[in-house]
Amino acid sequence: MHAWIDTGVYFNLWLFMKKAGKYFWAWTLVLALLLSSVKKGNTTVTAKVVYKTGKKKTTKKLVVKVEEVMTYSAKSGFVPVMWDTGIWYDHISGEMKYKDIAEIFNKVTGSKGVISDSAGTTGIPSIEYVPEDGLKTVYKWEGSWTRTEGSEAIPGGYELKSCDDRLNIQSNSAFLQLWANTDWSALSKPCIKITMANDEVSQNADLQVAYTTEADGPDWKGAMNPQTDWIGKCIPLNIELLKENKWLMLSSNKPGATIIKIEILDAK
């Protein structure tokens, strides 16, 4: 892990988190060592510390990790910045989408930012999957879309085999998200069913779904993050959100995860 000093100091915390993997019990210790090391003038810090201390899994919530990063950064004289793609912050209204994250920002910075009454709470909400026997497939895409790691090791990719005319499936050039669009108004009970490739990474991937106004759009609404129990099941879509946000964002947290089939279903 590297840092550089110019008018300030920059950490690749994305790399730090990726290297740490599932082992976050040493998160606070490693972060404190990293910050103190750079503050003392050591501009190169290796990620080996994470591996050496990463022996035990933790159940810490995301909000705790965010608070730790911001708190230790602020105490060490650094400015913590969250890279947001529309999940945490509503770029149109200017409001934080999650109450617990907004409270952390206020607490650490000493600010008095307004927290909307409609703000949600982080976590993985349960999803009531729809029984397939009451549905019919109306549109289908088949091919291969692989989520990139952002490097040549797992470059990602998109290949089309077949797609119904009324279904529009696109990938952004970075292969980080896939986008789906159709005439949702023609459906009374829209659902989506996704088939993953039969490999270990794909079969253990989560799914990220959100609604937006355009392909590769910046502002995502109604984000869902079902875990591995979603594969091959019919996920209900929010018909109200689809009225104004006609594109679905589809992705996964697992670089190398591959989608091979997308089905849009409706009530029989």
Side-chain angles (χ1 to χ4, degrees):
M1 184 173 300
H2 301 282
W4 52 261
I5 296 179
D6 185 5
T7 53
V9 177
Y10 167 78
F11 295 113
N12 191 340
L13 284 179
W14 165 251
L15 176 62
F16 173 48
M17 293 171 66
K18 183 171 66 174
K19 292 292 185 184
K22 298 179 180 178
Y23 303 99
F24 279 110
W25 74 276
W27 170 276
T28 305
L29 173 62
V30 174
L31 182 64
L33 289 172
L34 196 158
L35 291 173
S36 63
S37 178
V38 173
K39 193 171 183 180
K40 292 176 182 177
N42 179 8
T43 58
T44 301
V45 183
T46 70
K48 291 181 180 178
V49 178
V50 177
Y51 287 112
K52 289 179 179 178
T53 56
K55 300 290 186 182
K56 185 178 179 182
K57 292 183 180 181
T58 180
T59 56
K60 283 187 178 181
K61 293 178 64 177
L62 172 65
V63 289
V64 177
K65 298 167 190 171
V66 170
E67 184 171 8
E68 287 172 351
V69 171
M70 293 188 67
T71 299
Y72 276 97
S73 296
K75 285 183 178 179
S76 301
F78 299 98
V79 178
V81 178
M82 180 180 285
W83 175 22
D84 178 55
T85 57
I87 293 178
W88 306 104
Y89 178 76
D90 190 319
H91 296 189
I92 296 176
S93 69
E95 297 177 341
M96 296 292 288
K97 294 183 178 181
Y98 295 94
K99 179 181 179 181
D100 42 359
I101 296 293
E103 288 173 343
I104 289 172
F105 269 77
N106 283 350
K107 175 182 175 181
V108 175
T109 63
S111 60
K112 297 181 180 180
V114 176
I115 301 174
S116 171
D117 292 336
S118 62
T121 302
T122 58
I124 302 173
S126 60
I127 295 175
E128 296 291 334
Y129 300 111
V130 180
E132 192 169 355
D133 56 7
L135 301 172
K136 61 182 178 181
T137 298
V138 290
Y139 310 125
K140 182 169 62 176
W141 171 93
E142 290 187 277
S144 176
W145 178 83
T146 302
R147 200 265 203 211
T148 185
E149 184 191 33
S151 71
E152 293 182 0
I154 306 178
Y158 175 87
E159 178 185 355
L160 172 65
K161 290 184 178 179
S162 64
C163 184
D164 290 326
D165 291 340
R166 288 172 290 181
L167 180 61
N168 189 352
I169 301 292
Q170 299 180 20
S171 173
N172 53 20
S173 58
F175 303 114
L176 290 171
Q177 291 92 24
L178 196 61
W179 309 87
N181 165 267
T182 188
D183 180 9
W184 304 108
S185 66
L187 309 179
S188 62
K189 193 177 181 179
C191 295
I192 188 169
K193 177 183 174 183
I194 296 175
T195 303
M196 303 296 290
N198 189 26
D199 60 74
E200 184 177 356
V201 172
S202 300
Q203 290 296 315
N204 287 280
D206 74 349
L207 177 67
Q208 296 166 342
V209 182
Y211 305 80
T212 187
T213 56
E214 58 183 322
D216 224 359
D219 187 45
W220 302 351
K221 294 181 173 64
M224 296 185 290
N225 187 210
Q227 305 303 291
T228 53
D229 64 341
W230 63 272
I231 296 176
K233 294 185 180 178
C234 301
I235 302 170
L237 299 176
N238 188 318
I239 198 166
E240 291 301 316
L241 282 175
L242 286 171
K243 289 179 180 179
E244 299 296 331
N245 304 273
K246 300 183 184 299
W247 285 88
L248 283 180
M249 184 284 296
L250 307 171
S251 190
S252 175
N253 72 326
K254 292 278 190 180
T258 300
I259 295 173
I260 60 173
K261 185 191 295 184
I262 299 172
E263 296 174 75
I264 304 299
L265 304 95
D266 197 14
K268 289 182 177 178

